[in-house]
Amino acid sequence: MADPTAPVPPDARPGPGVLDARAAALDAADPLRERRAAFVLDDTVYLDGNSLGALPRAVPVRLAEVVAREWGELRIRSWTESGWWTAPERVGDRIAPLVGSGPGRVVVGDSTSVNLFKALVGAVRTVPDDRDEILVDAATFPTDGYIAASAARLTGRTLRPVPAAGIAAAAGPRTAVALVNHVDYRTGTLHDLPGITAAVHAAGAPVVWDLCHSAGALPVELDAHGVDFAVGCTYKYLNGGPGAPAFLALRADRLAAFDSPLPGWNSHADPFAMAAHHTPATGAARGRVGTPDILSLLALDAALDVWDGVDIGAVRTKSLALTDFFLDCVAAELPPGTVESVTPADHARRGSQIALRHPDAATVMDRLIAAGVVGDFRPPDVLRFGFTPLYTSFADTLRAARTLRRVVGETASA
């Protein structure tokens, strides 16, 4: 008997019911399927978790407790009695295993942009002045480019944009630091973290990785590959909520020498001494600046409960299965040539999203959302679908492809 979970050969178009049976079989065999119940979901097919993750059920309960009890009753005492003061490092330790780091090396707070600035300038401060170039992924998320350009001006360096695949070859004696996105936000292309890191190190420079589109979606293994600095947001695959604080991860041997360009009272070795001169704290606390955003930070802490007992390898396996299945469904449901995938077919080069090119992508996405399938649009012509393995099902995936077929047809005939 044929395996209903097996991929469809490239030139084969399955008959009626085959995709339904395959989706049902894949969902039944999914070891993560019970995690879906931990989220607040409705009948919408939500494929935009790579922009904002769904709400974990534990968060509203926890926030109500924080507001009513910790803020409302304990008030200022909660900084010590409720553990608010140590929350940036405590929550960082919960994120650490999801990105392959160790305890005491990840701090949560501020935005990705602010943490990126800290990491870039801190990295440049560790190299000689004759290393005068900052390499940056030419297709980077715009803010990363803006921050890198500002860091270059402030440190007297030159910004050199290079395609991510060319950074390894471009790194040399003039490289002060390289900034690379682990996953391209438009196409979902997964870049070679081990190879690029090794090449930049061989050139004598540190590297900063932006993990916004990989943290919580696939194994990152910062320590295994000796990554110097990494930053990432927590409101995508980590489901921390809108504007949730970001994280900064430092390699163990980078902590003691990290010279943050934003030394605040929260990163002081003795914050309440109110000293005129800054003495950096030890450990990950060196990456702090000002007073932590406690409500968002503790919402993130509660959101991370969904990861308890989850194997990030299983998340990656399901992510690839979901994206493979979506591509198969699109190929089966839509006429050839209707859309073009710009996401690599190669698993080693794919994140947890599929980006499809269509000439009227903006209109198509608007109509998809109105029809109950939520992805997003990236100019000029990209339909972007993020697959979050903790709550996306294979049935969702098939429904999305079938809705896409209908909407594309309606758009063409309008």
Side-chain angles (χ1 to χ4, degrees):
M1 182 176 179
D3 179 2
T5 68
V8 178
D11 297 325
R13 294 179 70 83
V18 172
L19 290 174
D20 300 83
R22 187 175 163 203
L26 286 164
D27 279 329
D30 175 18
L32 298 174
R33 64 186 180 277
E34 294 181 1
R35 296 284 161 168
R36 183 179 173 96
F39 293 87
V40 177
L41 299 169
D42 52 24
D43 191 48
T44 299
V45 175
Y46 189 65
L47 300 180
D48 207 8
N50 53 334
S51 288
L52 176 65
L55 172 66
R57 292 187 182 277
V59 172
V61 177
R62 175 64 178 130
L63 275 182
E65 177 189 15
V66 171
V67 171
R69 168 67 177 160
E70 297 181 11
W71 180 13
E73 296 178 16
L74 296 179
R75 294 178 286 273
I76 197 71
R77 292 161 54 195
S78 279
W79 284 105
T80 53
E81 294 181 28
S82 301
W84 288 2
W85 186 260
T86 57
E89 292 78 39
R90 185 179 70 252
V91 179
D93 282 347
R94 300 191 71 186
I95 290 173
L98 299 177
V99 295
S101 186
R105 302 204 288 276
V106 179
V107 64
V108 176
D110 305 311
S111 66
T112 305
S113 302
V114 172
N115 284 327
L116 185 61
F117 178 78
K118 297 176 202 172
L120 280 174
V121 176
V124 172
R125 287 177 171 178
T126 67
V127 300
D129 289 342
D130 60 354
R131 289 187 170 270
D132 60 355
E133 288 187 341
I134 295 177
L135 301 181
V136 63
D137 174 359
T140 190
F141 188 76
T143 294
D144 288 33
Y146 307 154
I147 295 292
S150 179
R153 291 195 302 273
L154 288 168
T155 60
R157 264 64 177 188
T158 300
L159 188 67
R160 182 183 171 196
V162 178
I167 284 180
R174 295 182 59 185
T175 304
V177 63
L179 167 62
V180 198
N181 291 86
H182 198 192
V183 174
D184 184 286
Y185 77 100
R186 287 189 186 88
T187 67
T189 300
L190 174 65
H191 296 305
D192 181 10
L193 183 147
I196 293 173
T197 300
V200 174
H201 285 172
V207 63
V208 177
W209 283 92
D210 182 329
L211 308 180
C212 284
H213 287 269
S214 57
L218 52 92
V220 178
E221 300 180 333
L222 295 179
D223 284 354
H225 301 299
V227 171
D228 305 272
F229 306 90
V231 301
C233 63
T234 63
Y235 48 78
K236 293 182 171 65
Y237 295 107
L238 296 180
N239 311 296
F247 64 87
L248 168 66
L250 296 94
R251 200 174 68 202
D253 61 348
R254 289 282 183 183
L255 280 170
F258 179 57
D259 183 7
S260 174
L262 296 173
W265 78 284
N266 253 238
S267 64
H268 197 285
D270 187 2
F272 294 96
M274 302 300 171
H277 300 286
H278 188 266
T279 301
T282 58
R286 293 175 81 102
R288 293 169 68 155
V289 183
T291 305
D293 185 342
I294 289 298
L295 295 182
S296 291
L297 187 56
L298 297 185
L300 169 62
D301 191 21
L304 292 171
D305 288 351
V306 300
W307 290 97
D308 290 346
V310 171
D311 176 6
I312 195 68
V315 171
R316 177 60 169 164
T317 297
K318 184 178 177 184
S319 165
L320 293 172
L322 283 166
T323 49
D324 278 344
F325 185 55
F326 183 64
L327 290 171
D328 285 349
C329 291
V330 167
E333 294 288 331
L334 276 71
T338 304
V339 293
E340 174 195 0
S341 175
V342 295
T343 303
D346 180 4
H347 284 183
R349 299 183 58 239
R350 185 195 305 169
S352 198
Q353 71 180 55
I354 295 295
L356 303 176
R357 182 172 286 134
H358 186 277
D360 203 2
T363 300
V364 169
M365 186 53 69
D366 284 345
R367 292 184 175 183
L368 274 174
I369 292 171
V373 174
V374 179
D376 64 15
F377 162 68
R378 287 292 179 265
D381 58 359
V382 171
L383 301 162
R384 201 176 67 152
F385 302 95
F387 293 83
T388 307
L390 293 189
Y391 57 77
T392 304
S393 70
F394 291 90
D396 288 339
T397 304
L398 176 55
R399 179 179 156 196
R402 286 179 171 164
T403 306
L404 177 61
R405 176 197 62 197
R406 175 171 61 81
V407 164
V408 165
E410 293 170 352
T411 302
S413 61

